[in-house]
């Protein structure tokens, strides 16, 4: 039995998730047998550690079912009731805690504050290494991003990335670079995040390994940064895989939605968003790595389908209140406020600004401040309806919704939004050509600069104009904006 347990623990959780039913049955059998054998035997530390690691793998393979999520939450309840709280002293205890708290988070069984508390405690005890990507410990990165609690992750992940680079562990470094990108996005550092995504995508291109792991981390991140070629490469590599975990499949749908929005095809983007939502819901995931419902709200509103947009926005506010992370709640309040009549809008938008004042990323806070300013203008003309909207890709995994970052206009409750920063001369030259339909390569040749320089200028343009890609940029240009001319 010990030999089988050790062999199963050498298999990564992801590999077990896609294993054949007989393998899963063997995992359940060995885990149950070993768990009973070591129960109450405080002298068998090695056996207990094996049992914990097997239990973590069992909960991992069950995390895409409602029953599995409920079982994980019940197990976490049991551990939290212990005198010292959730045990985290050994690697096995930390592996189990990470998968349990992740399941409790996505299944809507714990608020953000309690999830973050357990994850921070794990992070304080877990040495930074490249090995975390092959265990359940990597799940704490997603949890902390979702909970607006990423302050300790950049340093930890940077050390882990250094180990992976030294070890020439390509899969691990690709995953860690993508994790870093997600954390940097949550910290309001989109330019640095984009660079980490570029490095991650390049590493994936060089991999002979067919592991799904890098794609599972990259897909949600790529919905939030402007890297069209990266999205295309990830979809080309993983999009046709015969079988992927449900959560990954939903994230790939969201990546396709991003591509459709950038191509100006809002209807197709909406279908992808709603399909992703159905996949998440079938798995019992209420909180998700990418905000499918806010995306759908934006697109529905942009198509003038106000009742549907409001209904989804109401659902998102209710969900975000239960979860309690400032960025998700503030964003939901802002979106619903923008869709509401003036009397209710003022209350919702004011609350959004107040909530977002405690968020780590200022991007959504700035958007809420600008929404308050727009509401004042709207309130001055009682005959106006909801704010007119253009479909865009609201993406900031695991929680934001402005792909290239919004104009950097800081604000406080009751304060006026500052004017968005002006484009530089180089940005205007690139923006004009991009809006005319020129490719990056053509623009680079015309301006005698590198393609990379064009991409960096475009990122700045999208951030300053608050647009999601070329299609939205073209609409701004065709509208005669003097900010591009």
């Amino acid at each position: 039995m010990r030999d089988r347990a050790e062999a199963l623990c050498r298999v990564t959780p992801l590999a077990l998730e896609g294993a054949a039913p007989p393998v899963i049955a063997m995992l359940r059998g060995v885990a149950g047998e070993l768990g009973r054998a070591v129960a109450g035997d405080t002298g068998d530390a090695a056996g207990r550690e094996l049992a914990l690691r097997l239990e973590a793998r069992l909960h991992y393979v069950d995390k895409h079912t409602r029953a599995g999520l409920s079982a994980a939450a019940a197990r976490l309840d049991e551990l939290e009731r212990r005198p010292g709280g959730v045990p985290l002293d050994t690697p096995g205890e930390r592996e189990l805690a990470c998968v349990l708290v992740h399941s409790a988070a996505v299944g809507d069984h714990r608020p953000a504050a309690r999830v973050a508390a357990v994850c921070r405690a794990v992070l304080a005890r877990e040495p930074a290494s490249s090995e975390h990507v092959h265990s359940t410990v990597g799940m704490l990165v997603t949890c902390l991003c979702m909970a607006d609690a990423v302050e300790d992750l950049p340093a930890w992940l940077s050390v882990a990335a250094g180990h992976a680079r030294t070890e020439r562990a390509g899969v691990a470094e690709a995953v860690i670079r993508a994790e870093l990108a997600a954390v940097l996005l949550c910290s309001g550092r989109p330019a640095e995040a984009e660079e980490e995504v570029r490095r991650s995508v390049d590493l994936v291109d060089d991999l002979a390994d067919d592991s799904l792991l890098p794609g599972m981390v990259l897909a949600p991140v790529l919905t939030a940064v402007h890297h069209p070629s990266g999205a295309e490469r990830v979809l080309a590599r993983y999009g046709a895989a015969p079988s992927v975990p449900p959560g990954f499949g939903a994230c790939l749908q969201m990546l396709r939605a991003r591509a459709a929005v950038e191509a100006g095809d809002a209807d197709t983007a909406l279908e992808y968003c709603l399909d992703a939502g159905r996949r998440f819901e079938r798995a019992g995931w209420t909180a998700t790595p990418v905000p499918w419902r806010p995306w759908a709200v934006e697109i529905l509103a942009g198509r003038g389908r106000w009742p549907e947009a409001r209904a989804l926005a109401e659902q998102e506010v209710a969900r975000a209140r239960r979860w309690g992370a400032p960025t998700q709640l503030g964003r939901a309040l802002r979106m619903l406020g923008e869709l509401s009549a003036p009397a209710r809008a003022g209350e919702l938008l004011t609350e959004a600004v107040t909530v977002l004042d405690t968020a780590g990323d200022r991007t959504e806070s700035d958007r809420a401040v600008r929404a308050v300013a727009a509401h004042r203008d709207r309130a001055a003309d009682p005959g106006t309806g909801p704010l007119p909207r253009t479909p865009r890709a609201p993406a900031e995994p695991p929680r934001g919704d402005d792909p290239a970052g919004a104009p950097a206009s800081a604000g406080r409750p009751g304060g006026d939004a500052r004017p968005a920063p002006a484009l530089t001369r180089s940005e205007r030259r690139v923006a004009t050509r991009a809006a005319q339909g020129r490719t990056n390569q053509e623009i680079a040749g015309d301006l005698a600069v590198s393609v990379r320089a064009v991409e960096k200028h475009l990122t700045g343009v999208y951030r300053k104009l608050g647009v999601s890609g070329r299609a939205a940029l073209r609409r701004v240009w065709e509208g005669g904006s003097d900010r591009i001319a």
Side-chain angles (χ1 to χ4, degrees), residues 32-361:
E33 186 178 353
L34 183 60
R36 290 188 294 272
V38 302
D41 186 355
T42 57
D44 190 1
R48 179 178 175 275
E49 188 74 357
L50 276 176
L52 289 168
R53 295 182 66 200
L54 287 179
E55 184 182 357
R57 281 156 173 74
L58 268 181
H59 284 292
Y60 187 93
V61 302
D62 288 339
K63 66 182 170 46
H64 286 114
T65 68
R66 293 182 184 276
L69 296 177
S70 296
R75 177 67 162 128
L76 186 57
D77 283 338
E78 176 190 336
L79 294 177
E80 287 177 333
R81 286 195 296 267
R82 293 188 178 185
V86 180
L88 302 171
D89 293 328
T90 72
E93 289 172 340
R94 294 193 290 273
E95 280 194 42
L96 178 58
C98 285
V99 70
L100 293 180
V101 78
H102 180 273
S103 293
V106 300
D108 201 18
H109 294 286
R110 289 290 187 285
R114 289 178 65 183
V115 167
V118 176
C119 289
R120 286 187 177 117
V122 172
L123 198 64
R125 294 166 174 80
E126 183 71 19
S129 78
S130 64
E131 290 302 310
H132 80 267
V133 306
H134 300 298
S135 77
T136 63
V137 174
M139 302 171 90
L140 68 80
V141 176
T142 298
C143 290
L144 287 171
C145 285
M146 291 169 59
D148 267 354
V150 299
E151 60 277 359
D152 297 327
L153 282 173
W156 192 82
L157 288 172
S158 294
V159 172
H163 287 310
R165 187 169 57 253
T166 300
E167 297 157 3
R168 298 184 181 278
V171 170
E173 187 177 357
V175 170
I176 296 168
R177 295 290 174 198
E179 290 174 332
L180 261 173
V183 170
L184 290 167
L185 282 169
C186 293
S187 304
R189 296 155 66 181
E192 295 169 76
E194 184 181 350
E195 177 60 22
E196 293 297 342
V197 166
R198 183 190 64 78
R199 296 171 73 176
S200 179
V201 171
D202 288 346
L203 285 163
V204 170
D205 283 345
D206 293 336
L207 291 177
D209 191 304
D210 61 356
S211 170
L212 295 178
L213 188 56
M216 291 176 65
V217 183
L218 263 175
V221 178
L222 278 166
T223 64
V225 299
H226 180 68
H227 195 321
S229 67
E232 291 170 3
R233 284 141 70 185
V234 166
L235 285 171
R237 187 180 183 100
Y238 301 104
S243 177
V244 298
F248 185 25
C251 288
L252 289 174
Q253 292 296 78
M254 293 302 296
L255 194 52
R256 293 182 178 103
R258 167 77 191 234
V261 166
E262 292 203 336
D265 188 351
D267 290 333
T268 297
L270 179 61
E271 288 306 312
Y272 280 132
C273 287
L274 295 178
D275 183 65
R278 287 189 290 269
R279 293 178 186 226
F280 282 131
E281 289 178 344
R282 282 197 297 270
W285 287 29
T286 301
T288 60
V290 286
W292 73 268
R293 194 176 281 111
W295 278 56
V297 169
E298 291 276 5
I299 297 170
L300 285 166
R303 307 301 283 174
R305 295 163 63 176
W306 306 108
E308 295 167 88
R310 287 191 196 97
L312 275 180
E314 293 277 11
Q315 292 174 25
E316 181 65 6
V317 167
R319 184 206 65 77
R321 285 196 191 281
R322 292 193 303 272
W323 175 237
T327 298
Q328 292 189 27
L329 177 55
R331 177 190 60 210
L333 290 165
R334 188 262 307 163
M335 294 180 75
L336 183 57
E338 289 179 326
L339 293 167
S340 299
R344 188 183 183 202
E347 178 183 332
L348 291 166
L349 293 174
T350 299
E351 184 183 359
V353 171
T354 301
V355 168
L356 288 164
D357 199 43
T358 64
D361 179 7

Side-chain angles (χ1 to χ4, degrees), residues 385-410:
L387 293 174
R389 305 168 76 87
T390 298
R392 57 181 167 180
E396 184 178 87
R399 54 182 178 64
D401 62 5
D402 196 346
S409 53

Side-chain angles (χ1 to χ4, degrees), residues 162 291 372 378 448:
V372 168
R378 193 166 38 134

